[in-house]
Amino acid sequence: MTAAAFMTLLQGAGVTLAVSFAGILLGVPIGLGIALVRWGEVPVLRRVAAVYVSLIRSTPLVTLCLLIFFASPSIGIDIGPVSAAVLAMTLNTSAFNSEVWRGGLVSFPKDQLEAARSFGMRPSGAFRRIVFPQLWRSALPGLVNEMTLLIKGSPAIAVVGIVEVTRAAVRIGATTYEPLPPFLVATVLYIALVFGFVCLQRVSERTYGRAGASA
Amino acid sequence: MPDTSMPPAVAPPVLEIRGLTKSFGTNIVLDGVSMQVGKGQTVCLLGPSGSGKSTLLRCVNWLEPPDQGRILLSGKLMGFRDGGVVPMNGMELARARSRIGMVFQHFNLWPHLTVLQNLIEAPIHVQGRQRDEVIGEAEVLLDRVGLADKKNAFPAHLSGGQKQRVGIARALAMRPELLLFDEPTSALDPELVGEVVAVMKILAEEGSTMLVVTHEMGFAREAADEVVLLDLGRVVEIARPTEFFTKPKTERARQFLQRYVHA
């Protein structure tokens, strides 16, 4: 494998990381919002959220990506492949991670909220000061798990013409007739990316401690 | 110029409950309860399980909005504004609640905050008071409940009795007009009840205004100014503890005392 081929793979890894990261950055807060709407039993919106989650969860990322890419011009917005890819990743991960957030919210001790209410905290204040600092700690393992799934599902975005790691490896293999080396490198790059996320999780768990422990 | 230092002819009680009714579905939990707690008084709310004691307490700070009846805090209507027709909005309710301190059966401390942080959380973020001043006051309170050395500990590292003393200090940190205690010793191991009761007795003697739901007859007998016996959502008897425990007026009170005190 040539140095140029290796650079192409690294660039592909950059694209994988960038698109995944954008999806996570947008999708995680959206997922939290969805979970809050359902947990707070906001009328009407909670039903919309529930339908959204089941629809998105049952649509493969590839299909969703194609759907957004080809459907957008017909409603007058011609978004490029990158935007389509980021949007598909965001929608996909928001539906999955909203369930992680919701799991944490559902199991949150009611008596702590009752104390917050009786001490005059508003729902927003109670969420910010009491719920969230504990929630994110308990949701983190599930969220990171979902992030790693997203990264590994990201080859799907190649269908709209984005050259991420796997597509780069396919191309190199097709020109050199030696597919094994580029796929080995691609595999190592995925492992490195996922490992990076897991390391971030470990560091933050160690820094902030578990909820209720002697942080 | 009018003399504003003159107290009004009759100061309203800190808490006045009039004709309170509350049902859950078809189950009538409170059925026209009326009672009051005067300034500096300690009133113990007694009664068998399911008599509506805890619900009454939770109606006072609107954790459970009552169906009917009125609750007046120092003469001001709770839960409603503009003469009692329009329900309070979230912000008004929160402000009204912050005048009442509540101590819970299961402590309900916030586990991600240290003892000191539990005390200063609401005074700073709800009442908007000065951080330094609140911390100073909280340290004095922790000293009073005998936990000055635990201020940087997390709740998970405290015993039940220590947690409840933090719970009491946390309620006091709000400088409440009224303290509500919801079975504060019921979740404690028997040998830890004493330390919590001791703190409550000191508060009662120092003139805190307290409404206490309890099964600790010793506390009611020694520290209460008045005892209210509740049964099936109704007030059965209101009496001074000396009279209540020695010569109750009603048959129901005699039965209750036989089961809970002489058992």
Side-chain angles (χ1 to χ4, degrees):
Chain A
M1 219 175 74
T2 62
F6 189 72
M7 281 313 292
T8 310
L9 282 171
L10 269 187
Q11 270 173 17
V15 171
T16 297
L17 180 66
V19 175
S20 303
F21 198 67
I24 288 164
L25 222 57
L26 295 167
V28 169
I30 293 174
L32 176 58
I34 293 168
L36 280 173
V37 161
R38 298 183 71 182
W39 180 62
E41 300 187 350
V42 181
V44 187
L45 274 185
R46 60 183 283 210
R47 305 224 178 272
V48 175
V51 170
Y52 170 88
V53 170
S54 28
L55 282 184
I56 299 288
R57 280 205 303 182
S58 37
T59 312
L61 186 54
V62 189
T63 319
L64 188 62
C65 205
L66 287 169
L67 189 71
I68 292 169
F69 186 66
F70 289 118
S72 60
S74 65
I75 54 165
I77 333 157
D78 195 1
I79 60 174
V82 175
S83 308
V86 170
L87 185 56
M89 301 270 272
T90 303
L91 295 182
N92 178 273
T93 196
S94 69
F96 283 99
N97 75 43
S98 79
E99 289 296 281
V100 177
W101 287 119
R102 200 164 69 92
L105 286 169
V106 165
S107 61
F108 192 84
K110 293 274 175 293
D111 55 2
Q112 287 188 45
L113 285 173
E114 189 150 275
R117 275 173 77 202
S118 72
F119 277 71
M121 285 188 210
R122 309 290 312 282
S124 59
F127 178 74
R128 256 184 313 115
R129 307 281 315 169
I130 305 298
V131 179
F132 190 71
Q134 300 179 63
L135 177 67
W136 79 261
R137 288 178 173 97
S138 66
L140 193 63
L143 290 175
V144 171
N145 188 44
E146 162 53 25
M147 290 172 197
T148 62
L149 289 176
L150 186 72
I151 292 169
K152 287 177 292 169
S154 64
I157 63 175
V159 288
V160 291
I162 292 174
V163 184
E164 41 66 63
V165 194
T166 303
R167 176 49 61 100
V170 171
R171 283 189 174 180
I172 294 162
T175 50
T176 59
Y177 298 106
E178 275 185 37
L180 204 54
F183 281 121
L184 275 175
V185 175
T187 307
V188 170
L189 288 172
Y190 278 117
I191 291 171
L193 282 180
V194 170
F195 188 69
F197 274 87
V198 174
C199 281
L200 279 178
Q201 175 191 352
R202 295 247 172 80
V203 167
S204 54
E205 274 177 352
R206 209 170 303 144
T207 312
Y208 299 104
R210 280 189 309 107
S214 56
Chain B
M1 218 176 94
D3 185 0
T4 50
S5 68
M6 277 282 287
V10 181
V14 173
L15 173 66
E16 186 175 355
I17 300 171
R18 286 189 209 150
L20 199 69
T21 303
K22 177 77 187 175
S23 306
F24 294 109
T26 53
N27 182 20
I28 300 165
V29 182
L30 294 172
D31 190 6
V33 172
S34 299
M35 58 170 290
Q36 46 179 267
V37 184
K39 192 164 173 55
Q41 270 198 323
T42 296
V43 174
C44 279
L45 206 51
L46 308 180
S49 306
S51 56
K53 309 182 296 287
S54 290
T55 306
L56 180 61
L57 222 55
R58 295 161 57 82
C59 281
V60 169
N61 64 3
W62 229 254
L63 285 177
E64 298 285 357
D67 297 336
Q68 273 172 41
R70 322 226 102 176
I71 287 160
L72 295 131
L73 290 169
S74 303
K76 278 169 75 178
L77 194 58
M78 178 70 182
F80 295 95
R81 55 177 169 168
D82 304 337
V85 195
V86 187
M88 283 181 169
N89 63 30
M91 205 195 300
E92 292 162 331
L93 211 51
R95 199 175 302 137
R97 279 188 184 128
S98 70
R99 295 160 58 202
I100 308 168
M102 185 140 181
V103 177
F104 299 88
Q105 181 177 0
H106 298 285
F107 330 123
N108 300 14
L109 299 177
W110 298 307
H112 62 304
L113 302 177
T114 64
V115 165
L116 185 70
Q117 287 168 339
N118 263 278
L119 262 67
I120 65 175
E121 176 64 36
I124 292 175
H125 295 282
V126 173
Q127 295 179 325
R129 282 158 55 193
Q130 277 296 313
R131 188 180 177 85
D132 294 348
E133 171 211 300
V134 171
I135 289 176
E137 224 174 275
E139 282 171 343
V140 172
L141 286 171
L142 284 175
D143 196 36
R144 276 176 67 194
V145 299
L147 291 170
D149 57 328
K150 297 286 185 194
K151 70 172 183 176
N152 293 319
F154 282 87
H157 295 162
L158 302 179
S159 72
Q162 290 172 332
K163 282 181 194 167
Q164 195 57 297
R165 284 185 281 154
V166 173
I168 294 171
R170 178 177 67 166
L172 290 170
M174 298 290 281
R175 294 179 178 164
E177 294 164 39
L178 171 69
L179 278 168
L180 305 175
F181 291 79
D182 187 6
E183 304 202 23
T185 57
S186 298
L188 297 177
D189 290 338
E191 78 264 29
L192 301 178
V193 168
E195 62 190 71
V196 172
V197 168
V199 168
M200 290 168 61
K201 276 185 185 164
I202 292 170
L203 292 178
E205 280 160 22
E206 286 177 354
S208 297
T209 308
M210 300 160 53
L211 178 59
V212 184
V213 170
T214 187
H215 292 294
E216 276 304 304
M217 295 305 153
F219 175 79
R221 202 194 306 249
E222 290 161 41
D225 296 292
E226 208 162 63
V227 167
V228 176
L229 178 65
L230 214 60
D231 189 35
L232 300 171
R234 291 201 178 126
V235 173
V236 175
E237 188 160 337
I238 299 183
R240 301 181 70 79
T242 43
E243 288 154 26
F244 180 79
F245 286 104
T246 51
K247 36 181 194 304
K249 282 174 285 202
T250 59
E251 181 54 33
R252 189 67 194 89
R254 264 189 291 277
Q255 285 169 0
F256 173 80
L257 286 170
Q258 223 150 42
R259 282 188 62 183
Y260 283 80
V261 182
H262 310 298

